[in-house]
Amino acid sequence: MDFCVLGTLEIWTARGRLALPGTRHQRVLAALLLTPGAVVPMARLIESTWEDEPPATAVKQVQNCVSALRDRLGDAGQRLIVTDGPGYRLVVADEQLDLLRFARHVAEARRQAAEGALREAVREIRMALKLWRGPALDGLAAGVLAGRAARLDEQRLDAFELCVDWQLALGQHREVVDELADVVAENPLRERPHAQLMRALDRAGRQAEALKVFQRLRAGLAEELGIDPSADVRELHERILRGENPPQRAKPAPAGDLDRAAEELAAAIARQWTAEAEMRSLQRPKPVPLRWSSTEREVAAAASAVLGERPGDSAERLVLSGDLTDVVAKFRRIPSRQLVVLGEPGAGKSVLAILLTLGLLADQPPGEPVPVLLTLASWNPRHEHLDAWLARRLVEEYPGLANTAVYGRDAGLRLVLEGRVIPVLDGLDETPPGLHTAAIDALDQAVGAGRPLVVTCRGAEYELAVRAAGSFLTRAAVVEIEPVEIEDAVEFLTARRRLGETRWHPLVERLRQEPAGVLAQALRTPLMVDLARSAYANPATNPGELCDAERFPDRAAVERHLLDAYLPSVYARRPSPPARLGRTCDYAPEHVERWLSFLARRLEREHTRDLAWWRLDRAVPRFVVGLYLGLPPALLFALTGLLAADPVTAAIYGASFGAAGVVTHSIGRRPGPQRVEATFTGNAGRFTRRFAVGAAAGACLGFGWSLPAGVIGLVAAVFGLAVGVHVWLGAPLDANRVSSPGAVLRQDRAAALAFTLAFTVSLGLFYGLALRLTQDEPTVQVLDGRFDVVLSLAGGIAAGLLGRYFAPKPGIVTYGVAGALIGGQVIVDVPGVAHAVAAGGLCGLAVGLSVCLSRAWGAFACTRLWLAARGHIPLRFMAFLDDAHRRGVLRQVGAVYQFRHARLQEQLADQAIWRPHADPV
């Protein structure tokens, strides 16, 4: 017995189609078929059968319909339609019902596509689409059934659009045009098929028709809804106007590559956040209890939207509650796997995000996406799509994903687009306030089709953003972390109390006597409770002082005191065990406060939470940065000119490169750190190609300076090696390695030193040989033969290319001009061999130092010395940050540090101005 509910309801037996008595019987059967295996209550059967007010005999008539259906279906034993409690249940196998067959085919197609088998996925989903014989429940969709039919039709459209995406990726543009045109005509306001038709027509060479499709869509949306097409559709329209034919998607990597990437990514994330949880003492036996429940704020979708049910099937407000022990189970019960966690500052949102991530990884069912915890502070939804940002951040945090030899091309992007990750995004409120509404809208658009997502945000900021624009996550459950209970706070504060110790009694009594008082209000968040215990951990302290109403008249005064007391308590001098690895250093609390206050103020000025070592130079005036990065190489260039010629040439050399360096480092932005490691296998082809490029550049320089043929060959070989060896610095071998500030610094230092050595040897050798062996064949000389125009042009081009490596925009111009001035200098008296060798060595060192200082590590090394000399930071800066992380003052988020909490950063930024003189470090 086969049933079809994806078109006009039909029943097929071995002998052919079986007709039903009438519409009422068909509607009763349709209601049963839409929820196979589940009990359909009598009330719902009645709603499905009558469009208007049901008659008084509705129950009896439904029972008669069921009896007639059993007779027609040969179900005398009631094994097909089973009476079950308050209703009936239809028992049917997957192969007997088109609805179930359709779902199975679509799921299988998605699996095949995730594995890279797009052709097989297209065939599978086409089999699903063939099951449709027209609109769902055609002729029967009325009342309750109308909503279910509409959702089935939506599923059909989703499957069709998915199929078209895959066919476009396979280059089957012309094959889908006609079908898309029909779908667009039937759905004039649906944007996705319009965009697909535009893309198909454009790639088929029919740009004018593609533009007409956009015009019709825009006119329809404006007339019917008063809105414009989405940003993605408008961007596609602009690309078509510019004639930018989108590139074909690369052939997907083998399924095993992406499976391996996901597996190793999960291992890296588990190791990363387990270590961080231990560092933050999140897994201690009795942390501050954290409870959550559905928010009372008007910022959440109705329960039916979250649960995927028909409106009216459940209460409008979703009711969820729990604690840290069951958050994973509750999250998995949400059909859409979308959750927004709200809470006041210090409520424990980040803690919940960490433990949710670890919980999902600890018990990960086969096929479940990998939870990836990222902070949202660096996302600008107006400039970068969520998927692009996620992919970029994945590769930054887990650089092994960039290893194309292991995981294929764009592994990070494919993990995101194929739904292999669950973004756990912490700190929506840490994005600039003007972006909150745009971020919420962009998040909803990105996950509107049901992709999993977790977002944390301060409650007030989230509510303000939702009320301002009306945008919210339309399928997400929204929960809010509850205040800490008085007894939970008392238990946590007194857990380490010695037998007979009474110093906590006044505070405990005040909390119990005044549960709504100032002190209780201050200790309503886990952050403040933990700070209170830290501040009064020393037996010599008196926590009862917090009960002084004159000293602490309000909640803010208590919180400020606890934040102020945190650093002195954490950095109190304690003897360390001998020879203990990773032991903390002894820092004077007043020095620590000054250093951390300086860093906090810098972060506040930049409106960021990320303390990245490669951005430390932003704390120094730009012109000062230009001076200490640009002048040291200029001094070496001046010495080069003095050895090669005379003081005038030395002045030109030094002034030219000094001005170029100061200007470039003052107004330009250097690239970020390189996340690389040495790899010596599988690079033969890349080494050959790079060697050829370097050799060609060396040969061009040799010919430009009229060197002898044998010397040109030597220069070409050295330049080829200098460029070729860089292939040994590639992406880390696997995604199982997590970025950390120290690891990124070591990797960028290795890359900087390798580049420095390569440029020093190659250009030093070239300059020394050119100085000694350039043949006296003047070309176009001016200024009484002291300046050669042709050599000036060659030197300007070479130096401009070098400057592009330093800082792309200003470097080309500034170093190009400097190279032209230096390259055109005609040295009349050729120095001896010793002078030429020395001048070549100095020139190589000057270029090498310029290269080193243009890299993130080189600039950081100089900036660290400058700031330490002025007392802003300790000399051993990275060791200090690592020590602060071990003490819990800082937390580590991938390659950057952050203050333990935004409240601590804000408090330190507001501290009094530190003393300007340097103290001993």
Side-chain angles (χ1 to χ4, degrees):
M1 190 80 64
D2 294 337
F3 300 88
C4 169
V5 295
L6 299 182
T8 302
L9 181 61
E10 296 178 354
I11 304 173
W12 289 84
T13 67
R15 290 179 291 180
R17 185 178 182 276
L18 181 65
L20 291 179
T23 302
R24 188 174 302 164
H25 297 76
Q26 293 178 349
R27 288 178 176 172
V28 170
L29 180 58
L32 294 171
L33 289 169
L34 287 173
T35 54
V39 177
V40 183
M42 179 62 71
R44 187 175 298 179
L45 289 172
I46 292 174
E47 290 179 0
S48 302
T49 305
W50 284 274
E51 300 179 33
D52 302 319
E53 189 71 21
T57 59
V59 172
K60 184 62 176 176
Q61 292 190 45
V62 169
Q63 291 172 343
N64 292 337
C65 287
V66 171
S67 178
L69 287 171
R70 284 169 171 164
D71 290 342
R72 190 61 60 96
L73 297 173
D75 187 28
Q78 298 186 14
R79 296 180 179 177
L80 184 60
I81 303 178
V82 179
T83 303
D84 194 337
Y88 297 96
R89 175 167 50 89
L90 184 73
V91 180
V92 61
D94 290 357
E95 288 299 324
Q96 292 178 281
L97 181 60
D98 280 358
L99 176 63
L100 298 178
R101 295 169 62 195
F102 173 78
R104 191 188 69 233
H105 283 305
V106 172
E108 176 62 18
R110 288 180 180 273
R111 186 192 65 78
Q112 291 175 341
E115 294 178 353
L118 289 189
R119 295 187 184 277
E120 292 77 5
V122 168
R123 285 196 293 269
E124 190 73 26
I125 206 166
R126 284 290 178 184
M127 294 174 63
L129 293 171
K130 286 180 181 178
L131 296 172
W132 289 78
R133 300 172 177 83
L137 302 181
D138 194 15
L140 299 177
V144 173
L145 292 180
R148 298 299 302 274
R151 285 198 288 274
L152 286 174
D153 286 329
E154 181 72 16
Q155 292 177 23
R156 176 192 188 185
L157 270 176
D158 287 342
F160 171 74
E161 291 166 354
L162 196 60
C163 179
V164 170
D165 280 340
W166 295 337
Q167 289 188 264
L168 291 176
L170 291 169
Q172 299 173 1
H173 315 127
R174 293 177 175 81
E175 290 85 342
V176 299
V177 166
D178 292 338
E179 276 187 293
L180 278 171
D182 293 338
V183 172
V184 163
E186 295 170 2
N187 301 271
L189 303 182
R190 193 175 178 94
E191 292 194 13
R192 186 177 177 187
H194 280 80
Q196 291 174 326
L197 181 57
M198 292 166 60
R199 190 174 293 110
L201 290 170
D202 179 43
R203 292 181 179 178
R206 299 159 63 178
Q207 285 79 14
E209 295 176 63
L211 296 174
K212 289 181 180 178
V213 172
F214 176 80
Q215 298 299 335
R216 287 196 297 269
L217 173 64
R218 183 168 63 181
L221 289 174
E223 182 178 350
E224 296 292 332
L225 304 177
I227 61 175
D228 287 331
S230 67
D232 289 343
V233 179
R234 295 197 305 271
E235 182 182 354
L236 174 61
H237 174 246
E238 292 173 0
R239 288 204 305 268
I240 295 174
L241 282 174
R242 295 193 297 265
E244 297 177 1
N245 198 18
Q248 299 295 314
R249 196 179 83 172
K251 182 180 179 181
D257 292 351
L258 206 59
D259 290 340
R260 178 179 176 183
E263 180 181 347
E264 295 182 354
L265 176 64
I269 294 172
R271 188 171 60 255
Q272 171 190 8
W273 291 109
T274 297
E276 190 64 18
E278 293 174 354
M279 195 70 71
R280 303 187 194 187
S281 299
L282 300 185
Q283 304 285 17
R284 56 193 164 194
K286 291 185 178 180
V288 182
L290 191 155
R291 298 181 177 87
W292 51 268
S293 60
S294 295
T295 184
E296 295 295 326
R297 303 175 190 267
E298 300 297 327
V299 296
S304 57
V306 177
L307 300 176
E309 298 178 350
R310 182 179 61 86
D313 286 353
S314 58
E316 280 301 295
R317 185 177 294 278
L318 184 66
V319 179
L320 288 174
S321 63
D323 55 29
L324 290 178
T325 64
D326 62 356
V327 63
V328 173
K330 298 289 178 65
F331 173 72
R332 284 177 171 152
R333 291 176 191 170
I334 301 172
S336 63
R337 301 280 181 95
Q338 295 179 13
L339 179 68
V340 178
V341 180
L342 305 180
E344 62 178 293
K349 301 180 293 295
S350 297
V351 170
L352 187 145
I354 292 174
L355 297 182
L356 174 60
T357 300
L358 290 175
L360 291 171
L361 289 170
D363 181 25
Q364 188 178 18
E368 183 176 81
V370 179
V372 180
L373 176 55
L374 300 168
T375 58
L376 268 172
S378 64
W379 180 41
N380 187 331
R382 292 176 180 163
H383 296 159
E384 193 171 20
H385 191 275
L386 177 67
D387 291 345
W389 178 82
L390 285 172
R392 176 172 62 82
R393 294 287 289 118
L394 271 178
V395 176
E396 289 176 355
E397 296 295 321
Y398 312 97
L401 291 173
N403 192 331
T404 57
V406 177
Y407 307 114
R409 295 186 58 187
D410 300 322
L413 182 61
R414 287 187 290 120
L415 285 171
V416 173
L417 296 181
E418 296 183 16
R420 305 293 290 271
V421 298
I422 302 176
V424 182
L425 307 179
D426 187 25
L428 176 64
D429 53 278
E430 294 180 6
T431 59
L435 297 178
H436 290 174
T437 56
I440 294 172
D441 185 59
L443 286 170
D444 188 54
Q445 288 187 20
V447 302
R451 291 167 52 186
L453 174 73
V454 179
V455 180
T456 73
C457 186
R458 294 183 180 183
E461 281 81 348
Y462 191 81
E463 183 176 20
L464 181 63
V466 170
R467 291 184 181 276
S471 299
F472 63 100
L473 293 176
T474 53
R475 299 186 62 185
V478 183
V479 300
E480 192 156 5
I481 298 177
E482 300 175 353
V484 176
E485 297 287 342
I486 295 295
E487 291 305 320
D488 290 335
V490 169
E491 181 181 359
F492 183 81
L493 290 171
T494 60
R496 298 178 182 176
R497 181 181 54 180
R498 301 189 316 275
L499 182 63
E501 185 179 9
T502 61
R503 63 192 183 97
W504 287 97
H505 286 178
L507 183 144
V508 171
E509 291 301 319
R510 176 63 62 87
L511 289 175
R512 287 172 174 165
Q513 292 173 4
E514 300 180 12
V518 168
L519 187 56
Q521 288 295 314
L523 298 180
R524 60 185 283 133
T525 64
L527 173 65
M528 289 300 158
V529 176
D530 191 63
L531 289 179
R533 191 165 81 170
S534 299
Y536 296 100
N538 191 323
T541 58
N542 177 25
E545 67 182 4
L546 293 175
C547 302
D548 187 345
E550 293 185 2
R551 185 179 174 187
F552 305 107
D554 52 28
R555 173 182 176 179
V558 178
E559 292 180 348
R560 283 196 300 270
H561 171 73
L562 294 177
L563 287 166
D564 288 339
Y566 176 62
L567 290 183
S569 65
V570 170
Y571 282 92
R573 294 183 181 274
R574 299 182 182 92
S576 299
R580 182 165 65 89
L581 293 177
R583 62 187 177 90
T584 56
C585 303
D586 284 334
Y587 296 106
E590 61 272 17
H591 295 169
V592 171
E593 184 175 343
R594 187 177 70 248
W595 296 332
L596 292 177
S597 295
F598 170 78
L599 297 173
R601 281 195 298 274
R602 184 183 73 80
L603 296 181
E604 286 294 306
R605 285 196 298 268
E606 296 180 11
H607 305 289
T608 183
R609 301 295 182 203
D610 295 342
L611 178 55
W613 58 263
W614 60 89
R615 299 195 195 109
L616 189 64
D617 62 332
R618 297 183 184 181
V620 182
R622 301 293 296 275
F623 181 69
V624 175
V625 175
L627 287 176
Y628 65 65
L629 294 184
L631 293 184
L635 178 61
L636 292 178
F637 275 115
L639 293 175
T640 301
L642 187 62
L643 278 176
D646 51 47
V648 175
T649 303
I652 295 174
Y653 274 34
S656 299
F657 267 86
V662 171
V663 172
T664 299
H665 291 295
S666 296
I667 66 176
R669 285 292 186 189
R670 72 188 56 81
Q674 289 191 286
R675 295 165 168 86
V676 295
E677 65 180 26
T679 54
F680 300 101
T681 59
N683 293 319
R686 295 175 59 220
F687 175 82
T688 302
R689 291 191 295 272
R690 292 201 177 192
F691 180 88
V693 171
C700 290
L701 288 175
F703 283 115
W705 264 264
S706 302
L707 295 177
V711 175
I712 292 176
L714 174 63
V715 171
V718 172
F719 269 73
L721 288 172
V723 175
V725 295
H726 294 164
V727 302
W728 295 339
L729 292 175
L733 294 179
D734 54 61
N736 205 9
R737 305 184 185 184
V738 185
S739 285
S740 68
V744 172
L745 185 141
R746 290 190 296 272
Q747 291 170 352
D748 189 68
R749 178 174 58 202
L753 293 177
F755 293 142
T756 298
L757 180 62
F759 278 101
T760 298
V761 172
S762 57
L763 289 176
L765 175 67
F766 166 74
Y767 184 83
L769 292 173
L771 190 64
R772 180 65 185 166
L773 301 177
T774 295
Q775 299 174 7
D776 189 13
E777 296 178 359
T779 50
V780 182
Q781 295 185 348
V782 295
L783 301 178
D784 295 330
R786 293 186 60 84
F787 194 85
D788 192 304
V789 176
V790 174
L791 292 181
S792 172
L793 180 62
I797 294 174
L801 293 176
L802 184 64
R804 184 179 184 276
Y805 176 77
F806 295 162
K809 290 184 179 179
I812 295 177
V813 176
T814 56
Y815 280 96
V817 172
L821 290 175
I822 292 176
Q825 299 298 314
V826 177
I827 299 176
V828 179
D829 297 326
V830 178
V833 175
H835 276 71
V837 171
L842 279 174
C843 178
L845 288 175
V847 174
L849 184 59
S850 298
V851 170
C852 183
L853 296 182
S854 71
R855 312 312 300 170
W857 172 75
F860 164 73
C862 289
T863 302
R864 176 175 61 89
L865 293 174
W866 173 267
L867 292 176
R870 295 174 61 83
H872 296 348
I873 62 173
L875 183 60
R876 298 181 66 243
F877 180 62
M878 294 302 292
F880 168 69
L881 296 184
D882 184 58
D883 177 77
H885 177 226
R886 286 198 298 270
R887 294 177 188 265
V889 177
L890 300 179
R891 61 188 185 187
Q892 183 179 307
V893 183
V896 301
Y897 289 114
Q898 295 178 343
F899 279 93
R900 171 185 177 175
H901 195 274
R903 290 290 305 277
L904 180 60
Q905 176 178 317
E906 294 162 2
Q907 181 79 359
L908 286 170
D910 291 337
Q911 294 292 340
I913 300 298
W914 45 270
R915 297 189 302 275
H917 64 276
D919 289 328
V921 178

